[in-house]
Amino acid sequence: MASARKMSLTRRVVYLGRHSTSSQGSTGVIIVGQGYQGDDHYGLKRITARSTTHFDAHAEPLSPKDVASGATRFGAFHFDGVVYGAYHSRVTTLRCVRAPKGPDLTVRWDDGSGHSMTVKPGPTTFIDSAHMYNMLAEERKIADQSMWEPAPQPYVWTDTRKIRNSGLGMTPGGETVPLDKASCLDAREGVLTDVARKFYLKKEPDRGEEVVEDGERIRVFLNDIIDRIIKPENILVPMYEKGDAVMLNNWEVMHSSIDFPASYGTRTMHQCHIPSSNFPAGPVPVK
């Protein structure tokens, strides 16, 4: 990772990708969703979309009985644009083409907090990362002055590691792929991904930095911060119907899909990324 670039610690850290298909004739439009998209969806013939669900990512997924009773989870909060060879998108747009129909669902945290939310099926939900930054106390000095080094190709590197039941933060255990053991992990691409592999921590500009490579210490440090924001009162679940569009500041808000039963029908979203020509920057210069 000698060629990897260190990045401001005030950037968000995320862990999950998505299965997606580009629309024919318009490669900038990505089809995301769940279920059969029809015999001909803008030139795409008889495709079935499959986004990553909490069953793929969570350490303790819901049981079929829980799902049948109307329980669900946030899949995984993240931000878009983990595209190798490109900067992270500045703005993401989502247009609702088809929404699932059915009774309201109950999002459960299942983390001992007792938190839950009642939601309509199929929306994308949001957390304001700037608000999370404003919640920092002593950690703000560390966040402002520190750097982090990303892992290359995070969805390969994280291997068997899993996400917490709340949809944000990693659980203990699991394995990562050793960087010297997998030829697919190209360090030259690592500068454009978003899973923290190494921290360079310091509290003051003129002090030396502490290099942290212990994955468990990084996990505990980040989860302690995340736990302050992952509460119902801090989560926005906008209402939208067929034809509505959502635009989000991809550098400021994290978002997640919400799982729904297959019996509710198909979800189809057209997603576009407005690109950027630079990386996000923290509130103060980092030396």
Side-chain angles (χ1 to χ4, degrees):
M1 288 293 291
S3 63
R5 186 178 306 173
K6 295 188 291 185
M7 302 179 189
S8 169
L9 191 60
T10 54
R11 292 186 58 204
R12 300 177 300 287
V13 180
V14 295
Y15 302 94
L16 192 64
R18 173 189 289 126
H19 304 281
S20 58
T21 303
S22 295
S23 175
Q24 289 192 359
S26 183
T27 56
V29 178
I30 300 172
I31 311 301
V32 295
Q34 293 282 12
Y36 184 63
Q37 301 297 307
D39 293 344
D40 187 341
H41 184 79
Y42 294 91
L44 296 173
K45 308 292 186 180
R46 296 178 293 278
I47 67 166
T48 297
R50 182 187 180 277
S51 294
T52 304
T53 71
H54 91 274
F55 292 104
D56 305 303
H58 288 200
E60 300 171 329
L62 293 169
S63 69
K65 181 179 179 180
D66 288 333
V67 173
S69 69
T72 188
R73 295 261 183 86
F74 300 121
F77 284 96
H78 62 285
F79 71 98
D80 285 333
V82 185
V83 180
Y84 306 118
Y87 292 102
H88 303 289
S89 59
R90 189 67 176 86
V91 175
T92 295
T93 64
L94 287 168
R95 179 175 179 268
C96 180
V97 178
R98 187 184 295 114
K101 303 295 184 182
D104 290 354
L105 300 169
T106 300
V107 179
R108 292 185 355 198
W109 269 241
D110 289 330
D111 61 356
S113 66
H115 293 320
S116 65
M117 292 180 69
T118 300
V119 299
K120 299 293 183 183
T124 297
T125 185
F126 302 93
I127 290 177
D128 186 350
S129 296
H131 183 41
M132 181 166 62
Y133 171 77
N134 290 333
M135 290 179 170
L136 296 178
E138 289 298 317
E139 303 92 347
R140 183 175 297 194
K141 291 182 179 180
I142 297 176
D144 286 349
Q145 301 298 331
S146 299
M147 307 285 283
W148 66 279
E149 184 175 298
Q153 301 197 23
Y155 314 136
V156 176
W157 180 74
T158 52
D159 198 20
T160 61
R161 300 196 68 189
K162 295 292 185 178
I163 294 174
R164 298 190 300 177
N165 295 340
S166 63
L168 187 59
M170 303 299 288
T171 61
E175 299 292 336
T176 57
V177 177
L179 298 183
D180 60 348
K181 299 296 183 182
S183 59
C184 60
L185 297 181
D186 187 346
R188 292 172 298 177
E189 296 181 341
V191 299
L192 302 178
T193 65
D194 292 89
V195 175
R197 187 180 74 89
K198 186 185 296 186
F199 277 175
Y200 300 81
L201 302 179
K202 61 179 180 178
K203 292 184 178 180
E204 303 293 342
D206 55 351
R207 291 187 180 181
E209 61 188 16
E210 177 190 4
V211 180
V212 179
E213 298 185 75
D214 181 350
E216 180 62 12
R217 182 178 170 188
I218 292 173
R219 185 191 71 83
V220 171
F221 176 84
L222 292 176
N223 284 354
D224 178 62
I225 294 173
I226 287 168
D227 285 340
R228 304 171 202 183
I229 193 74
I230 188 71
K231 297 177 181 179
E233 61 267 27
N234 298 322
I235 297 174
L236 173 66
V237 185
M239 299 294 297
Y240 52 80
E241 299 177 349
K242 179 179 178 180
D244 291 343
V246 177
M247 299 183 69
L248 58 121
N249 180 346
N250 190 50
W251 285 7
E252 182 171 334
V253 299
M254 293 181 285
H255 62 281
S256 173
S257 61
I258 301 175
D259 292 350
F260 59 90
S263 61
Y264 281 31
T266 296
R267 178 179 188 257
T268 308
M269 304 291 286
H270 286 180
Q271 181 184 70
C272 295
H273 295 149
I274 298 176
S276 176
S277 58
N278 61 337
F279 287 113
V284 298
V286 179
K287 299 179 180 180

